[in-house]
Amino acid sequence: MSAGSELTGQLLVATPQIDEGIFYRCVVLLLHHGPDGAQGVVLGRALPALVDAVLPGWGSSDRGSGMLFQGGPVEVDSALAVAQVPGIGEPLPGVRGIFSGIGLVDLDSDPALVLPTVERLRVFAGYSGWAPGQLEMEIARGSWYVVARAVGDAFAPAECNLWREVLARQRGPLALVATYPADPGLN
């Protein structure tokens, strides 16, 4: 991967080399990747809180689970929302398209105007971030697999094992990593 490669919209899947902490067996959706660094959100990790408890009006829609999800270790006292948006068309109020089928929601917007226009919504506390060149170095060291996303990945239920599911759908030897034991010493 060259320093200028664009990974926005791809998934980062933690390799077994990451054996503890927030990124252990996680999947990150990259919302931005460029010369200024990278930002994304950890997928599928619900927090013991409802969205409406911290952002009234945003969790009461049938467009999402109502649960708040952990986006990463950066700025955990802030929130961002990712929405599945309908096909190419008119811009949606309060939503900025970032790549095919996915947009970032302006949580300062009126939820009554935004929620009816999106297909699904997921609210994250915090995000995952990398300084310029940091992610590329971590990928080169073998900490992350970079794979294509499926539309539903960003909205995977908390009870699924997204790490295993994403790896299992890959082709070739990478699919075998899905069976890697949590503690290889017990194998």
Side-chain angles (χ1 to χ4, degrees), residues 51 67 109 117 139:
V51 173
M67 296 296 302
S109 298
T117 68
I139 292 169

Side-chain angles (χ1 to χ4, degrees), residues 9-140:
Q10 300 293 310
L11 296 178
L12 297 177
V13 180
T15 69
Q17 184 178 34
I18 299 176
D19 58 3
E20 64 182 5
I22 191 170
F23 294 123
Y24 172 72
R25 291 196 173 203
C26 86
V27 177
V28 174
L29 174 63
L30 280 176
L31 302 173
H32 169 77
H33 175 256
D36 56 340
Q39 295 81 34
V41 287
V42 172
L43 299 178
R45 294 212 176 140
L47 294 169
L50 294 174
V51 173
D52 269 336
V54 292
L55 292 166
W58 286 104
S60 59
S61 163
D62 64 357
R63 304 284 191 246
S65 69
M67 296 296 302
L68 185 63
F69 283 74
Q70 180 179 29
V74 181
E75 294 188 30
V76 294
D77 58 346
S78 67
L80 65 86
V82 172
Q84 181 178 349
V85 295
I88 300 170
E90 296 295 315
L92 301 176
V95 180
R96 178 177 57 89
I98 52 174
F99 48 83
S100 177
I102 300 291
L104 278 177
V105 176
D106 178 358
L107 292 172
D108 289 329
S109 298
D110 181 352
L113 296 176
V114 176
L115 290 174
T117 68
V118 300
E119 294 176 12
R120 292 193 269 187
L121 180 81
R122 176 70 41 97
V123 179
F124 297 92
Y127 66 92
S128 303
W130 292 266
Q134 180 183 4
L135 179 57
E136 293 83 354
M137 188 171 27
E138 290 180 16
I139 292 169

